[in-house]
């Protein structure tokens, strides 16, 4: 038993570590690791990953909420869209052929690779539009000199639409869909990048939790897989977040793009063989 | 003159309410998240440890069953909780996973109650919708 359990834990710790370093989250790496290395069926890998995403999000968002980076109101409004999507996605996952899930996963990996290359670091801080002002979605982020900097939010309907898609992807594929969530908040709603990342991290837990509840109540959560995966990914993510401030981010990004493309190719190939 | 003054006072009072909500959320949300996460992780670790001690063969058998795509029948929640209480390692692990999924549920429920207390009805509606979505998820899972 210890060999199997140790192997699963090692895979999960590795996925959590790489997920934290890349900023994409452990789900993107643990699902292919379980499918390709541990030969777990895609559907069971998705269930186990959703649970690990809940744990990682809860662990990682603590500091962001406390330090004021997370926009709690934006999260609560957009969670309506992501939870709807996640419940629909997790329900569909039980009725879709595994090769379709694998193909979708490959496409999402390619999108994540593209997102990693395109990630911009320049922040724009426009004022809020009337709807966002009415919902009090503007916020303050901690400035370098200690004084808070105000920012607004715009285009809530556009952001919510993308969040619905992110939720469906999360429920279907067992990932946090952090890349898509950051795009929705950063590019579409014009929130500062760091606020988008922190808020996305916070929302991922509820999104994945909604999907995990569908799997759990269906009796389709393999506890023997999900438990070590949840513990391992959380531990790996914790270690990754400690190493991240000392890492060469540019070199890491290039490496992750290569890894994501390789995994996408492998998952795509598996999907084609499964048709 | 009285009307604009009233409006100003009302806006200031709303701003104060928003700031109070924000302060309470930022203080208590991390505590809530961390506490449930630690409790769930402990339950999972204890369950896995007990599995390794009491039934290592059963764990490997379950792992291979999942690999082969076989599905174990799931016990009803009540029976599962009783088994966990009697120290059944697999039931303890499943119970730990349930506690873990409570993390987001508890966080949204906390926000819902806070917004009710502060009479912020717009956000009561948003958080109620999310809670309903989570309940629908459970019901959909039971349907199929």
């Amino acid at each position: 038993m210890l060999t199997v359990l140790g192997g699963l834990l090692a895979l999960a710790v590795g996925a959590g570590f790489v997920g934290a370093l890349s900023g994409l989250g452990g789900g993107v790496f643990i699902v292919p690791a379980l499918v390709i290395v541990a030969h777990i069926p895609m559907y069971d890998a998705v269930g186990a990953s959703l649970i690990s995403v809940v744990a990682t999000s809860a662990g990682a968002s603590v500091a962001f909420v406390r330090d004021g980076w997370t926009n709690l109101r934006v999260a609560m409004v957009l969670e309506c869209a992501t939870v709807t999507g996640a419940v629909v996605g997790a329900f569909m996952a039980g009725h879709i052929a595994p090769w379709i899930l694998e193909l979708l996963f490959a496409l999402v990996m390619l999108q994540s690779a593209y997102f990693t290359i395109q990630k911009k670091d320049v922040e724009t801080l426009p004022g809020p539009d009337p709807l966002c002002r009415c919902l009090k979605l503007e916020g303050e982020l901690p400035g370098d000199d200690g004084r808070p900097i105000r920012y607004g939010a715009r285009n809530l309907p556009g952001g919510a639409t993308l969040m619905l898609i992110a939720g469906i992807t999360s429920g279907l594929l067992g990932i946090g869909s952090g890349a898509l969530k950051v795009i929705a908040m950063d590019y579409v709603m014009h929130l500062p990048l760091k606020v988008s990342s922190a808020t996305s991290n916070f929302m991922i837990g509820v999104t994945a939790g909604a999907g995990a509840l569908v799997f759990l109540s269906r009796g389709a959560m393999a506890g023997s897989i999900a438990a070590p995966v949840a513990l391992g990914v959380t531990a790996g993510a914790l270690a990754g977040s400690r190493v991240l401030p000392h890492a060469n981010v540019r070199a890491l990004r290039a490496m992750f793009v290569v890894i994501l493309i390789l995994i996408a190719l492998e998952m795509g190939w598996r999907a084609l063989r499964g048709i | 003159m009285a009307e604009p003054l009233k409006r100003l006072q009302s806006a200031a009072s709303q701003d104060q309410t928003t700031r109070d909500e924000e302060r309470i959320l930022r203080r208590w949300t991390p505590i809530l998240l961390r506490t449930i996460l630690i409790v769930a992780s402990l339950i999972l670790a204890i369950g896995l440890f007990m599995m390794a001690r009491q039934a290592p063969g059963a764990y490997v058998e379950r792992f291979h069953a999942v690999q082969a795509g076989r599905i174990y029948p799931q016990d009803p929640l009540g029976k599962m909780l009783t088994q966990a209480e009697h120290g059944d390692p697999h039931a303890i692990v499943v119970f730990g996973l349930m506690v873990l999924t409570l993390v987001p549920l508890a966080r949204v429920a906390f926000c819902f109650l806070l917004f009710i207390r502060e009479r912020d009805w717009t956000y009561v509606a948003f958080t109620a919708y999310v809670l309903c979505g989570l309940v629908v998820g459970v019901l959909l899972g039971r349907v199929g």
Side-chain angles (χ1 to χ4, degrees), chain A residues 136, chain B residues 8-21:
Chain A
K136 299 177 269 189
Chain B
L8 262 175
Q9 280 173 340
S10 162
S13 149
Q14 274 183 1
D15 274 359
Q16 186 58 43
T17 308
T18 309
R19 274 198 295 271
D20 286 347
E21 283 171 1

Side-chain angles (χ1 to χ4, degrees), chain A residues 7-171:
Chain A
L8 272 180
L9 275 171
L11 272 183
V13 170
F17 186 77
V18 177
L21 281 185
S22 63
L24 296 170
V28 172
F29 296 97
I30 192 62
V31 173
L34 288 174
V35 172
I36 297 167
V37 183
H39 305 294
I40 304 290
M42 182 72 187
Y43 181 65
D44 296 289
V46 168
S49 173
L50 280 173
I51 281 283
S52 76
V53 173
V54 172
T56 323
S57 163
S61 52
V62 165
F64 289 135
V65 173
R66 193 189 50 215
D67 299 342
W69 290 104
T70 310
N71 188 320
L72 297 166
R73 284 174 186 273
V74 166
M76 278 175 242
V77 173
L78 293 178
E79 272 165 6
C80 295
T82 59
V83 165
T84 306
V87 169
V88 171
F91 182 72
M92 280 163 57
H95 304 278
I96 288 181
W99 70 266
I100 298 178
L101 292 181
E102 286 170 354
L103 190 64
L104 282 173
F105 200 95
L107 293 174
V108 169
M109 296 296 270
L110 290 177
Q111 183 261 330
S112 297
Y114 178 74
F115 169 75
T116 309
I117 298 169
Q118 290 292 312
K119 212 170 187 176
K120 58 172 185 158
D121 294 324
V122 182
E123 295 183 354
T124 48
L125 305 174
D129 65 15
L131 177 61
C132 292
R133 184 180 294 122
C134 175
L135 293 172
K136 299 177 269 189
L137 297 186
E138 63 268 35
E140 289 175 347
L141 57 91
D144 291 335
D145 56 356
R147 278 188 302 181
I149 305 167
R150 285 200 72 77
Y151 62 85
R154 309 186 71 81
N155 193 7
L156 179 62
T161 308
L162 259 187
M163 287 293 176
L164 184 70
I165 299 169
I168 294 173
T169 320
S170 174

